[in-house]
Amino acid sequence: MHDVLVIGGGAAGFYAAIHIAESRPQTKIAILERGKEVLTKVKVSGGGRCNVTHAEFNPVDLSKNYPRGQKELLGPFHTYASGDTVGFFEERGVALKIEEDGRMFPVTNSSQTIIDCFLSEADRLGVQVKTLCSVTGIEQIKEEEGVIWKVAIGDGHMYCKKLILATGSNPKMWNYVQALGHSIVQPVPSLFTFIIKDERISDIPGVATHAEVKVIPKKNISKKKVKLKPDTAVLTSEGPLLITHWGMSGPAILKLSAWGARILEQYNYQFKIQVNWAPEYHHDGLLELFLKVKQVEKKTVLRTKVLDLPKRLWVNLVKASNIDDTLTWPEVSKQQLSNLAAQLTAGIFQVNGKSTFKEEFVTAGGVDLKEINFKTYESKILTNLYFAGEIINVDAITGGFNFQNAWTGGYIAAQGVVNDLNTNIE
C-alpha cells in the first residue's frame, strides 16, 4: 500500500511528488508513467530549452493568460506563482533567465537541466519512478479505515490512500475519470498555426513583423453543443506574426488559436482573417499619409518603403494592389493608393486548416473546473482524488504559462495531500 500514487510522469506529476516527499519524508510515493521515458514534454518544450515559466509576477495579470481557467487560477496564483517557481529551481541550483518577451529558461538553455533536477530530487527524496506502467483501470474502495484507491496496471494492482492524476491530455484517463462520476469538457486543440495558401505570402517564409489579426465571424454556426454569441468578431490579437512555408504563425496567431480554440473548431478550421500589417494606422489615415508622400517622392512605389515593414512583404502588397513595378509616386492614382492602404490595414486571408505549433501540443478541455476544489486541487466528487496540470480544463497562451499551471497545480495538490495525511494521523 502506497500513501500516494501519482499517475503521469510529466511536469505536474513530478512537481507534486517532490513537494509531498519534501514536506513529509516518511510518505511512500510512486510516480507511474506509461511511456519509456518521463518528462518528455519538458524535453521538447521551447525548442529543447524548456520555457519554464513567464516573468509575470502579479497573480491577477498572470491569470489573464489563460483562456480556460482565468477565474479559477486567481486564488491558486496568490498561493503559488511564477516567483515561487523561480525560487524552487534556484534553491536546487538551477538558475533561470528572463528573455525580452518575458519567457524564462534555464541559463544552460537546455531542458535536460530541468529533467536532471527532477530526477535527482525524486531519487534523493525516495520517490519511486515506474516507467512502462500503463494504467488500465481506477477504482475507489471503501474500507473500515476509510476510502482507498485500487489502480489496475496490466495484470496486477497497486493500492494507495491518495491518488493524484497528472496525465495531461490523455483521452483514456479522461474516460476513467468520467466513469468515476466526473464531467469532462470535450477536448479540442489549442495553440496551433494557420494554414494559408496565398500569393502575398507564399514566397516570403521567415518574414516576421508586428501585426493585428482578427477572425472574421461566420454566421449560423452555433448549432453544435458549444453555443457562440452572435457578436463573435471578437477574436482579435496583436503581436509578432511569422510567415511560414505553410501559412502564418507567431504569437499573434497562437494567441488567436488559444482564445478561439472552441470557436475555430466549430468553424472546422476553415475561416477568414483580417490582417493589419500597420496596426498604428487605419485605412483613411494611411491613405492620407500616402497622398502626402505622392506630393514629394519621385521614385517608384515598389522601391519606396514608407512604413517600417519587411521589404519583401511591402513589395508583395504593392503588387497585390495592382501597382506596376515601374509606377512612380507621381504617376500612381488615388485609387491604387487606396488599394494599397486596404492591403496593409485590412488584408483578407483564407485559412484552410491548422498545424501543430512545434511539439508543444496543447488541448482545451478536460475535467470540469466546477468539480475541483482549487484550494487543494481535490475532487469535489471523490474523496482522496487530486488533479494537477493539463488533465483539467485549463490551458494558456504560449510563453511558459502552461508549465506554470502545472507547477501551481502540482504544488497545491501536494499541500492538500500532505495536510490530509497529517490530519488522519492525528
Side-chain angles (χ1 to χ4, degrees), residues 15 73 76-77 80-81 85 377 403-413:
Y15 214 68
L73 287 174
F77 283 155
Y80 198 93
T85 300
Y377 278 69
F403 272 138
Q404 187 54 52
N405 169 51
W407 313 137
T408 296
Y411 174 83
I412 295 177

Side-chain angles (χ1 to χ4, degrees), residues 394-423:
V394 167
D395 63 285
I397 63 173
T398 184
F401 300 106
N402 282 297
F403 272 138
Q404 187 54 52
N405 169 51
W407 313 137
T408 296
Y411 174 83
I412 295 177
Q415 301 314 303
V417 166
V418 167
N419 292 338
D420 207 29
L421 286 171
N422 289 340
T423 301

Side-chain angles (χ1 to χ4, degrees), residues 225-407:
K225 292 178 184 175
V226 182
K227 290 192 176 177
L228 307 176
K229 296 175 183 174
D231 60 343
T232 326
V234 188
L235 281 178
T236 304
S237 171
E238 186 175 328
L241 186 154
L242 173 66
I243 294 168
T244 69
H245 288 285
W246 56 87
M248 293 183 188
S249 185
I253 298 297
L254 295 168
K255 277 191 270 186
L256 273 188
S257 74
W259 287 99
R262 297 211 164 271
I263 295 168
L264 301 182
E265 189 263 346
Q266 284 204 10
Y267 291 172
N268 198 28
Y269 309 106
Q270 309 285 323
F271 55 93
K272 290 179 180 177
I273 56 172
Q274 178 180 294
V275 180
N276 185 344
W277 302 102
E280 64 274 25
Y281 288 100
H282 52 72
H283 175 276
D284 292 351
L286 191 54
L287 177 58
E288 190 179 325
L289 172 66
F290 287 162
L291 292 172
K292 287 178 182 174
V293 174
K294 180 177 164 64
Q295 301 301 315
V296 296
E297 183 56 69
K298 304 300 181 191
K299 293 179 186 173
T300 63
V301 178
L302 198 74
R303 290 178 57 198
T304 314
K305 186 164 65 76
V306 174
L307 300 170
D308 183 20
L309 270 185
K311 186 176 180 181
R312 290 191 293 162
L313 178 61
W314 169 266
V315 167
N316 281 9
L317 295 180
V318 168
K319 289 178 179 177
S321 307
N322 294 317
I323 297 174
D324 189 81
D325 295 13
T326 60
L327 209 59
T328 63
W329 281 92
E331 295 168 334
V332 71
S333 70
K334 182 177 179 180
Q335 182 57 54
Q336 286 172 310
L337 291 177
S338 178
N339 292 347
L340 180 55
Q343 285 288 351
L344 282 158
T345 60
I348 304 298
F349 293 82
Q350 175 67 45
V351 177
N352 289 309
K354 61 176 174 55
S355 175
T356 303
F357 174 60
K358 298 184 180 177
E359 301 90 348
E360 298 174 47
F361 185 75
V362 173
T363 300
V367 179
D368 195 320
L369 303 184
K370 294 192 292 291
E371 300 172 356
I372 299 165
N373 175 357
F374 279 91
K375 290 181 180 176
T376 59
Y377 278 69
E378 186 175 12
S379 164
K380 290 181 179 177
I381 293 172
L382 296 157
T383 312
N384 299 337
L385 176 64
Y386 296 79
F387 301 102
E390 209 187 320
I391 188 172
I392 67 176
N393 184 27
V394 167
D395 63 285
I397 63 173
T398 184
F401 300 106
N402 282 297
F403 272 138
Q404 187 54 52
N405 169 51
W407 313 137

